[in-house]
Amino acid sequence: IKDYFLFPSYEETLVYENKKMLSYHLEAWNLPHPQTKVFYSMEELKCFASTTQYPVVVKSSIGASGTGVHVIRTQKKLRSYANKAFSSRGISVRIGPNRNTGSIIKWLKKAISNPQYAKERVADYKTIADNRPKRYVITQEYIPHDFEWRAVKIGDSYFAHRKTKDGDKCSGTKGIDYVNPPLTLLEFVKQTCERLGFTSVAIDLFETQRQYLINEIQTIFGHVQNHILEVDGKPGRYLYQNGEWVFEEGMFNSNESYDLRLEVALELLDKRRCLDGTLLSQPNHILT
């Protein structure tokens, strides 16, 4: 059976828009993250609700930009959420454009001028509606925070900025704070991606006094700004060269970073072809 070249890889897409799978993945790899539990039993959840510390975060398995994420502060509200989740209907979720960060009029104009865009978005909304939280509840330890780091790795390029908070959440606010990211953050992301074999990802992290905690991982992501890293007010990227982090000034995130992703994908494909050619030239080697 011939392997197919995939970018992002199959392993990277397993955790994309699947918070249940991500929680299992982080636990299996023993990666630092807020304590997360997935409940498939109402009785187990009731026991948890009566013993856990509040506030607690509940999430839907699918949903970007903060969709399906709620901060619950009392046992009564968690039980109410659970009753809905384990009902025949499940938890209602936001369908359509994010009204907090976007314009419905602008979305409609774009949809009318670009029918393919409208078709893809409607399909996305249907997927979210069909996968509303139902017969399960995901809870996550609440981490007090004033901001969240968004770190991005695309090939050998690294980027990071702070996501500012609106209310209880940073997800979906679109607020950006361009501060010089600590090199310890870049090192943590580098080591994590090397362990997981991830090449193109965006990772959202909380920063505590002791360590960084992985909140979410997206392998397919966009961004509203035209660059996602600044150092001393200059846009650019970080590279790890000869055992040191080196900042390179420039614009590397054009077309929502898809230009850079395509460049990296083509480089990986060329390496794959060279490897296949080497293997094919060796007798008695079985390709899988």
Side-chain angles (χ1 to χ4, degrees), residues 5 9 40 42 52 93 112 145 155 169 175 213 221 236 251 283:
F5 173 77
S9 68
Y40 299 98
M42 184 66 170
T52 191
V93 293
I112 292 171
H145 60 285
K169 299 184 293 186
L213 300 175
F221 57 92
M251 299 297 289

Side-chain angles (χ1 to χ4, degrees), residues 110-123:
K110 186 173 181 179
I112 292 171
S113 63
N114 188 342
Q116 182 61 32
Y117 168 83
K119 182 179 179 180
E120 292 174 355
R121 293 289 75 76
V122 169

Side-chain angles (χ1 to χ4, degrees), residues 149-208:
W149 285 108
R150 162 57 64 92
V152 173
K153 168 184 165 62
I154 304 175
D156 295 326
S157 301
Y158 291 82
F159 311 88
H161 59 252
R162 284 180 177 176
K163 298 166 65 176
T164 57
K165 191 175 179 181
D166 183 9
D168 287 318
K169 299 184 293 186
C170 295
S171 297
T173 66
K174 309 299 184 184
I176 303 301
D177 185 10
Y178 288 115
V179 298
N180 295 5
L183 299 185
T184 52
L185 172 69
L186 302 180
E187 189 63 34
F188 175 82
V189 172
K190 176 177 176 292
Q191 291 179 3
T192 298
C193 289
E194 287 176 350
R195 285 186 63 191
L196 298 176
F198 284 3
T199 304
S200 177
V201 291
I203 304 180
D204 294 332
L205 309 103
F206 297 120
E207 180 180 342
T208 71

Side-chain angles (χ1 to χ4, degrees), residues 159-285:
F159 311 88
H161 59 252
R162 284 180 177 176
K163 298 166 65 176
T164 57
K165 191 175 179 181
D166 183 9
D168 287 318
K169 299 184 293 186
C170 295
S171 297
T173 66
K174 309 299 184 184
I176 303 301
D177 185 10
Y178 288 115
V179 298
N180 295 5
L183 299 185
T184 52
L185 172 69
L186 302 180
E187 189 63 34
F188 175 82
V189 172
K190 176 177 176 292
Q191 291 179 3
T192 298
C193 289
E194 287 176 350
R195 285 186 63 191
L196 298 176
F198 284 3
T199 304
S200 177
V201 291
I203 304 180
D204 294 332
L205 309 103
F206 297 120
E207 180 180 342
T208 71
Q209 291 182 344
R210 294 182 294 108
Q211 61 184 338
Y212 296 105
L213 300 175
I214 299 173
N215 185 25
E216 294 191 8
I217 298 178
Q218 301 92 10
T219 190
I220 300 173
F221 57 92
H223 46 82
V224 295
Q225 64 276 34
N226 60 11
H227 61 283
I228 50 181
L229 168 74
E230 283 187 9
V231 173
D232 298 331
K234 300 176 182 178
R237 66 180 175 185
Y238 269 105
L239 301 169
Y240 192 73
Q241 298 176 336
N242 301 319
E244 295 184 350
W245 288 101
V246 178
F247 174 71
E248 180 181 0
E249 184 180 352
M251 299 297 289
F252 302 99
N253 304 115
S254 57
N255 192 25
E256 294 189 29
S257 295
Y258 279 101
D259 294 333
L260 180 58
R261 278 180 269 199
L262 179 59
E263 179 184 323
V264 171
L266 292 175
E267 289 175 356
L268 291 174
L269 182 58
D270 285 341
K271 291 179 181 178
R272 170 69 175 269
R273 286 170 174 166
C274 290
L275 178 62
D276 286 349
T278 301
L279 293 176
L280 286 170
S281 67
Q282 298 176 2
N284 303 321
H285 191 100

